[in-house]
Amino acid sequence: MTLRIALIGTGMVAKTHVAALRDAEPKVQLVGLMARRAESAKAFAAETGGKVTVFENVQAIAASADVDAAIIATPPNARLDLIRPLADAGKPTLLEKPVGRTLDEARQIVELCEAAPVPLGIVFQHRMREASKKAAELVASGALGALGLAEINVPWWREQAYYDEPGRGTYTRDGGGVLISQAIHTIDLALSLTGPVASVQAMTATTRFHTMESEDVAMAGLRFANGAVGSLVASTASFPGGAETITLHFDQASLHLGSGVLTVSWRDGRTETFGASATTGGGADPMAFTHDWHQGVIEDFADAVADGRPPIVTGRQALASHALIDAITRSSQARKDVEVAS
């Protein structure tokens, strides 16, 4: 069975989705496009070279018998108005991160889909890397022992021109800065391996390198529910930009994830490596990454819909990242340790 998909949003990441959908055929097929402006959707459809229907609005997608599911790749401020008619029509939806601009908005979206009920998957493509899958396998096996320390780093760079785009880095459109727009991918992957954070003590700021409403740097001390401690440093002010890294120290070994490679340093002296080096969009070009990981997310979503199982990252699971980002923001504002919402 081929899952027929309409893509909503024709911005920066849309071409990545088109390439991923193309390579995922015949499991999926791109059959429709929609953008805020119809002329943008028509121009984008012409670029794809495929035979796709350009829909004027989300209600038309929801009503179409030729569309089985939707991918939403719009800025976060449009999400609720798009999700509601799709959920009412029973259309499974794959949503680009973040789920919403705030934790409360993200919860509304998740609860709306759960009440329908309709599948809601979130595009956290870092989970699909070979190295990430191996790390998850090792953690789940119990061979590593207990986690003691986690170090999460996102040393990215964005030119001022990136933030000069209307709405980018604002709370009204994006919901914030580096945490919700860039670091959320690494946060999701890290939490999938560490388990939830119980409390944080944090600082966020905007450096002299950017003129923007929200933060371009965040630093947080973390206390995990399992007793481990850790740190998170995220930035789009770290010229020239580098790969995000996750380093987890367990009783029996330390795991280091960086640039698509997992290095396992065992306490008995052994060292193992898994995966292949890849760029991740941490430098001046935010789209300098492969579409293979998006393809993996899309294929998993299609299989999940066909099999009646949850996708690799559900909307409910994605709330953990939103809760941590919310706690970091609240801690910085209050200048004190705060608990992470459950």
Side-chain angles (χ1 to χ4, degrees), residues 129-169:
R129 299 171 179 170
E130 179 187 347
S132 301
K133 293 178 180 179
K134 184 61 180 182
E137 177 186 321
L138 284 168
V139 171
S141 74
L144 301 170
L147 177 68
L149 174 66
E151 301 166 274
I152 306 164
N153 293 290
V154 186
W156 282 19
W157 168 252
R158 290 291 183 265
E159 300 280 357
Q160 177 60 39
Y162 176 83
Y163 292 110
D164 288 341
E165 178 182 310
R168 182 163 283 157

Side-chain angles (χ1 to χ4, degrees), residues 216-235:
D216 66 354
V217 64
M219 293 161 277
L222 314 174
R223 290 191 181 276
F224 292 86
N226 57 20
V229 295
S231 63
L232 166 67
V233 180
S235 166

Side-chain angles (χ1 to χ4, degrees), residues 20-342:
L21 287 161
R22 178 195 64 224
D23 288 354
E25 292 179 352
K27 187 169 290 190
V28 298
Q29 181 186 5
L30 177 64
V31 297
L33 287 170
M34 181 199 131
R36 184 165 51 92
R37 295 184 301 116
E39 53 268 34
S40 296
K42 291 175 182 177
F44 190 83
E47 289 181 21
T48 67
K51 295 181 179 179
V52 297
T53 300
V54 175
F55 291 94
E56 290 188 3
N57 52 54
V58 69
Q59 288 76 18
I61 292 175
S64 176
D66 296 323
V67 175
D68 301 315
I71 293 176
I72 298 179
T74 66
N77 63 320
R79 299 290 165 75
L80 265 173
D81 291 340
L82 293 172
I83 286 283
R84 191 172 283 112
L86 294 172
D88 289 345
K91 305 281 189 186
T93 300
L94 183 59
L95 185 63
E96 268 286 350
K97 60 77 188 168
V99 180
R101 292 168 293 181
T102 66
L103 176 58
D104 286 344
E105 186 173 84
R107 282 174 174 157
Q108 288 182 57
I109 290 169
V110 170
E111 290 167 1
L112 179 65
C113 291
E114 289 178 343
V118 64
L120 175 64
I122 310 302
V123 182
F124 280 127
Q125 70 269 17
H126 292 191
R127 297 257 202 131
M128 304 309 294
R129 299 171 179 170
E130 179 187 347
S132 301
K133 293 178 180 179
K134 184 61 180 182
E137 177 186 321
L138 284 168
V139 171
S141 74
L144 301 170
L147 177 68
L149 174 66
E151 301 166 274
I152 306 164
N153 293 290
V154 186
W156 282 19
W157 168 252
R158 290 291 183 265
E159 300 280 357
Q160 177 60 39
Y162 176 83
Y163 292 110
D164 288 341
E165 178 182 310
R168 182 163 283 157
T170 66
Y171 294 103
T172 300
R173 194 194 84 160
D174 289 348
V178 62
L179 286 170
I180 201 164
S181 294
Q182 283 84 29
I184 192 170
H185 282 293
T186 307
I187 290 171
D188 167 74
L189 178 57
L191 294 181
S192 74
L193 301 171
T194 64
V197 175
S199 66
V200 304
Q201 190 157 7
M203 182 188 83
T204 64
T206 307
T207 70
R208 62 185 293 138
F209 305 128
H210 293 128
T211 300
M212 56 189 290
E213 181 183 8
S214 58
E215 86 290 345
D216 66 354
V217 64
M219 293 161 277
L222 314 174
R223 290 191 181 276
F224 292 86
N226 57 20
V229 295
S231 63
L232 166 67
V233 180
S235 166
T236 53
S238 302
F239 182 83
E244 67 278 1
T245 61
I246 299 171
T247 306
L248 307 178
H249 303 281
F250 295 86
D251 288 336
Q252 302 303 323
S254 292
L255 306 185
H256 178 82
L257 282 163
S259 299
V261 175
L262 170 66
T263 302
V264 185
S265 301
W266 294 93
R267 295 291 182 96
D268 63 12
R270 291 177 294 137
T271 301
E272 297 178 290
T273 59
F274 304 90
S277 182
T279 57
T280 60
D285 180 3
M287 302 310 296
F289 59 84
T290 176
H291 68 266
D292 292 350
W293 306 325
H294 276 75
Q295 180 182 340
V297 172
I298 290 169
E299 289 178 342
D300 171 82
F301 184 72
D303 288 340
V305 171
D307 298 341
R309 63 164 176 84
I312 188 169
V313 184
T314 66
R316 176 64 58 181
Q317 291 167 337
L319 291 181
S321 297
H322 281 275
L324 178 54
I325 290 169
D326 172 75
I328 291 171
T329 303
R330 289 188 290 112
S331 176
S332 177
Q333 292 170 344
R335 298 188 178 185
K336 66 178 184 180
D337 187 278
V338 304
E339 293 185 356
V340 179
S342 58

